[in-house]
Amino acid sequence: MVRCLDPAVKDCNPGLDSSCGTESEPASPTEAVDCGCQNLKRTAAVETEEDRTTYDDPAVKYFRDSNEKQSESQRDEKDLKSQRVLIPGGEFLMGTDNPGIPADGEGPQRHVHVDSFYMDIHEVTNRHFQTFVNATGYITEAEKFGDSFVFEGILSEMVKSQISQAVAAAPWWLPVKGANWRHPEGPDSNIAARLDHPVLHVSWADAVAFCSWANKRLPTEAEWEYACRGGLKNKLFPWGNKLYPKGQHYANLWQGEFPTHNSGEDGYVKTSPVMSFPANGFGLYDMVGNAWEWTADWWTVHHTTDQQCNPKGPPSGTDRVKKGGSYMCHKSYCYRYRCAARSQNTADSSASNLGFRCVSEEHR
């Protein structure tokens, strides 16, 4: 399997700040460049029939296996089932007419209705994913490919010395052999002390397989953004318009000069344990920052202005939508830690800042 390295008047709730109505945080500087994580793509690979079946419908095998093994493990419910909350259905303004990154298709702002659903209050953790793997024997795509993308700034000198390739559009992204969810920074790393951190290096298919096994699913982009806003209207962030309300950090983001120095003023230079920062109005943690989150939708930058009900994105595409940004996001490089912000990756992509969370129809 070969890697391709070429880059390819509105209502207002004041929230945690006094700004009202418009999104007051200035747009990303015009000279801003990109962190490059949407360029982390794999080339098409020759697959066996067994592999192809798994990729075409990753839910089938693992849903069946989970039912067969459930009596054996009972899924260790205390560890497996993260707490979830009801997201009450309603109408909201999706997107923005003041895009921070216009090329990403953040606009136009449009009226969207979503039905009620349940969402996990935090991203799927290493502990949860480990339970899934132990119960099913699942092998992630990063493990099958034999490598995954890792940000250079968190790699050991030993690992960096063995790498001769980089992503052309973002040379701080390196393909690391042996990097996967168990070894986030390559073979000389592990998750022993990070079981409560979001699982990383999971592809879209990996996320779907987990969700299906847990009788859940990935959120649509509309559901995700509605949940991110936490009941606030026309706000930049899940908590309001100010990035640091009362001088406090509300998300795990990059501070300092990207990509050379992360000062860690928020307490972290890589991922943080889930629920390390305040929840939004719906009781959801880390909706922006920490790790990017896969959604169910195919990627498009063209959106109708017609009012929609439970939109699910285009019927086909090449990339899937991801939302929320990560610990690598900084306004000068990746101003995507806003509710309306969005990005994309091919479904088989995996990286050291990409995870997911689940939603479900019924509370169990």
Side-chain angles (χ1 to χ4, degrees), residues 340-356:
R342 57 203 301 270
S343 190
Q344 89 277 15
N345 277 120
T346 53
D348 61 0
S349 297
S350 60
S352 58
N353 67 344
L354 178 55
F356 69 103

Side-chain angles (χ1 to χ4, degrees), residues 183-225:
H183 306 286
E185 293 90 47
D188 63 349
S189 64
N190 62 68
I191 59 170
R194 288 182 270 183
L195 291 177
D196 56 351
H197 288 230
V199 66
L200 306 173
H201 297 289
V202 285
S203 69
W204 186 87
D206 299 333
V208 169
F210 175 96
C211 289
S212 300
W213 173 72
N215 293 313
K216 300 178 183 180
R217 60 177 174 82
L218 289 176
T220 65
E221 182 179 8
E223 288 173 332
W224 191 100
E225 186 170 329

Side-chain angles (χ1 to χ4, degrees), residues 47-62 64-65 132 137-141 144 203-206 208-209 212:
E47 301 166 355
T48 65
E49 284 300 315
E50 181 179 0
D51 286 339
R52 187 173 296 111
T53 300
T54 298
Y55 293 159
D56 287 346
D57 191 353
V60 174
K61 178 178 186 298
Y62 300 99
R64 183 182 67 245
D65 285 356
F132 160 59
Y138 185 82
I139 300 173
T140 63
E141 292 199 272
K144 291 180 179 180
S203 69
W204 186 87
D206 299 333
V208 169
S212 300

